[in-house]
């Protein structure tokens, strides 16, 4: 789920549909998209794959929409195979789907204000209403949507497909290396001894080494296997992670986020989970709900009990604003100070990292 409140004109279906890629972070295909309406504009935007099991997701979508207590919502079905004129069966399936969605929303006092079908969200894409009201037309150019322009100015990358977004955290084949997992396990044992002798010093070195690794990666220097091992051990320590969350609001936040993405792809389980959570936190703090969402989904699949992943997922699903997440990052600076570690200066509030 993505939350994006704006004064965007919701009364023009062609403009509303064209804005969806900018809100979701990718161009949806074969999807049911549910947009809640809050204060006269877009609220939470949720998406589910069109599939035989979609009926099971309808209740979940309605429940997610209800989290922000909207009064109404709009449904958009994206289906390249659907044609209002030549596919009566598709039309009936769409009507049944929207009827089920309408019932689920009604149970939560949410009105399904409109339901549209679009063949593709691209230049030349056409939409029509599900109930056969006769309304329809060509959608606006998605790349010229005000929300797309705002996303670009904010430094967000828009992906052609959801698969391209998921590729950011796709596991590198080297992460399956038994040798790498064994090396991290061995290094963790050695770190425990060092931590027992000097806990503050050990954590301080881990924080500073992680900041250095992010800078080196930004300079084009790939991580060696030994660096992967050390970083895997570092992010496994709760005190170190607490300090590293502060990097999300630092002037070099983009470097840190790139490091988390690399670690998410290259670290084996269970160390990968913490890299995913750090990536999710960083993305969430700068307003990139789609990347935060896929990262949290991957983390919770691996470790459903991870406390931070669960907390961030709940916050994202309930529409907690990025600026409130950034407030949590301030505690990272306090933790780093307690350890004697220096983080990059905090960036000016509201500015994109980098």
């Amino acid at each position: 789920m993505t939350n994006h409140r704006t004064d965007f004109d919701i009364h023009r279906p062609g403009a509303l549909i064209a804005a969806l890629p900018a809100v979701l972070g990718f161009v949806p295909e074969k999807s049911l998209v549910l947009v809640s309406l809050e204060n006269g504009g877009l609220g939470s935007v949720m998406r589910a794959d069109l599939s035989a099991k979609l009926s099971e997701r309808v209740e979940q979508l309605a429940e997610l929409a209800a989290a922000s207590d909207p009064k109404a919502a709009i449904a958009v079905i994206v289906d390249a195979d659907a044609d209002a004129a030549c596919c009566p069966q598709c039309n009936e399936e769409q009507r049944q789907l929207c009827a089920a969605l309408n019932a689920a929303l009604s149970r939560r006092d949410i009105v399904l204000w409109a339901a549209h079908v679009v063949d593709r969200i691209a230049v030349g894409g056409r939409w029509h209403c599900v109930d056969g009201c006769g309304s329809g037309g060509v959608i606006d150019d998605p790349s010229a949507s005000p929300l797309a322009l705002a996303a670009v100015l904010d430094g967000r990358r828009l992906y052609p497909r959801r698969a391209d977004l998921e590729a950011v955290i796709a596991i590198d084949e080297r992460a399956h290396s038994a040798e790498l997992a064994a090396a991290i396990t061995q290094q963790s044992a050695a770190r425990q001894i060092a931590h027992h002798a000097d806990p503050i010093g050990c954590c301080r070195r881990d924080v500073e080494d992680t900041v250095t690794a992010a800078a080196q990666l930004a300079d084009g220097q790939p991580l060696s296997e030994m660096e992967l091992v050390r970083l895997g051990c570092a992010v496994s320590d709760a005190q170190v992670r607490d300090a590293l969350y502060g990097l999300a609001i630092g002037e070099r936040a983009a470097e840190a986020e790139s490091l988390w993405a690399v670690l998410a792809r290259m670290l084996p389980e269970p160390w990968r989970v913490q890299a995913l959570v750090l990536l999710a936190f960083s993305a969430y703090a700068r307003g990139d709900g789609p990347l935060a969402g896929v990262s949290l989904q991957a983390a919770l699949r691996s470790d459903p009990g991870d406390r931070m992943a669960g907390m961030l997922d709940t916050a994202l699903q309930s529409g907690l604003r990025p600026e409130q997440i950034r407030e949590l990052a301030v505690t990272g600076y306090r933790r780093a100070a307690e350890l004697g570690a220096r983080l990059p200066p905090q960036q000016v509030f509201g500015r994109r990292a980098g």
Side-chain angles (χ1 to χ4, degrees):
M1 181 177 77
T2 301
N3 187 283
H4 197 107
R5 294 182 177 85
T6 177
D7 294 329
F8 185 80
D9 184 4
I10 62 172
H11 300 284
R12 294 183 54 240
L16 170 69
I17 294 170
L20 294 180
V23 181
L24 291 170
F26 59 91
V27 180
E29 299 174 332
K30 286 287 186 180
S31 300
L32 169 62
V33 182
L34 184 64
V35 180
S36 69
L37 306 181
E38 302 174 24
N39 301 319
L42 269 68
S44 300
V45 179
M46 295 135 285
R47 189 206 68 90
D49 291 329
L50 286 179
S51 67
K53 296 182 179 180
L54 183 59
S55 58
E56 301 174 7
R57 297 288 307 277
V58 165
E59 285 291 335
Q60 182 183 10
L61 286 175
E63 188 66 26
L64 290 173
S68 54
D69 195 27
K71 300 305 178 184
I74 295 175
V76 177
I77 297 174
V78 187
D79 189 354
D81 298 328
D83 188 295
C86 63
C87 187
Q89 180 181 355
C90 292
N91 292 338
E92 181 57 29
E93 291 174 352
Q94 292 160 7
R95 283 192 287 269
Q96 291 178 3
L97 173 59
C98 288
L101 180 60
N102 182 47
L105 291 170
S106 295
R107 287 191 287 273
R108 295 163 176 84
D109 297 321
I110 303 173
V111 176
L112 184 58
W113 193 57
H116 311 299
V117 180
V118 63
D119 55 357
R120 67 189 190 281
I121 303 183
V123 174
R126 301 191 64 86
W127 69 273
H128 63 269
C129 59
V130 171
D131 60 9
C133 68
S135 296
V138 178
I139 69 168
D140 294 0
D141 181 356
S143 65
S145 164
L147 294 186
L149 297 176
V152 171
L153 290 174
D154 196 39
R156 280 183 52 199
R157 179 179 175 185
L158 303 183
Y159 296 85
R161 300 172 301 160
R162 180 177 171 84
D164 297 303
L165 173 60
E166 293 173 335
V168 174
I169 60 168
I171 298 176
D172 188 287
E173 61 181 14
R174 285 168 289 180
H176 293 291
S177 167
E179 291 78 10
L180 180 57
I184 298 176
T185 300
Q186 183 177 7
Q187 181 67 21
S188 295
R191 185 187 180 280
Q192 286 180 357
I193 296 174
H195 187 274
H196 181 74
D198 182 9
I200 292 179
C202 182
C203 291
R204 180 178 63 251
R205 287 189 295 273
D206 282 344
V207 171
E208 293 174 344
D209 287 348
T210 302
V211 173
T212 298
Q216 291 175 345
L217 189 65
D219 287 339
Q221 302 178 42
L223 299 175
S224 67
E225 182 168 311
M226 182 51 66
E227 287 172 321
L228 280 174
V229 169
R230 288 200 298 266
L231 291 168
C233 294
V235 299
S236 298
D237 187 292
Q239 287 184 300
V240 174
R241 286 198 309 276
D242 286 347
L244 295 177
Y245 287 126
L247 294 175
I249 59 171
E251 291 183 352
R252 302 173 77 171
E255 295 180 2
E257 187 169 314
S258 295
L259 175 62
W260 308 145
V262 169
L263 294 180
R265 293 192 296 268
M266 300 192 70
L267 288 178
E269 302 288 0
W271 301 278
R272 177 175 187 256
V273 171
Q274 299 309 326
L276 286 166
V277 176
L278 284 161
L279 175 60
F281 186 88
S282 180
Y284 196 163
R286 66 177 174 82
D288 193 340
L291 180 55
V294 298
S295 301
L296 291 171
Q297 288 173 14
L300 290 170
R301 278 197 302 268
S302 297
D303 184 2
D306 186 273
R307 188 177 175 217
M308 188 63 169
M311 184 193 77
L312 289 175
D313 187 59
T314 299
L316 188 64
Q317 301 289 3
S318 62
L320 193 70
R321 303 292 291 162
E323 52 264 31
Q324 293 170 287
I325 292 298
R326 288 195 288 268
E327 291 175 6
L328 295 177
V330 175
T331 62
Y333 277 82
R334 290 199 293 267
R335 175 63 61 163
E338 292 170 359
L339 297 174
R342 296 187 62 182
L343 300 182
Q346 293 185 40
Q347 60 179 303
V348 176
F349 183 79
R351 283 182 57 191
R352 169 70 168 89

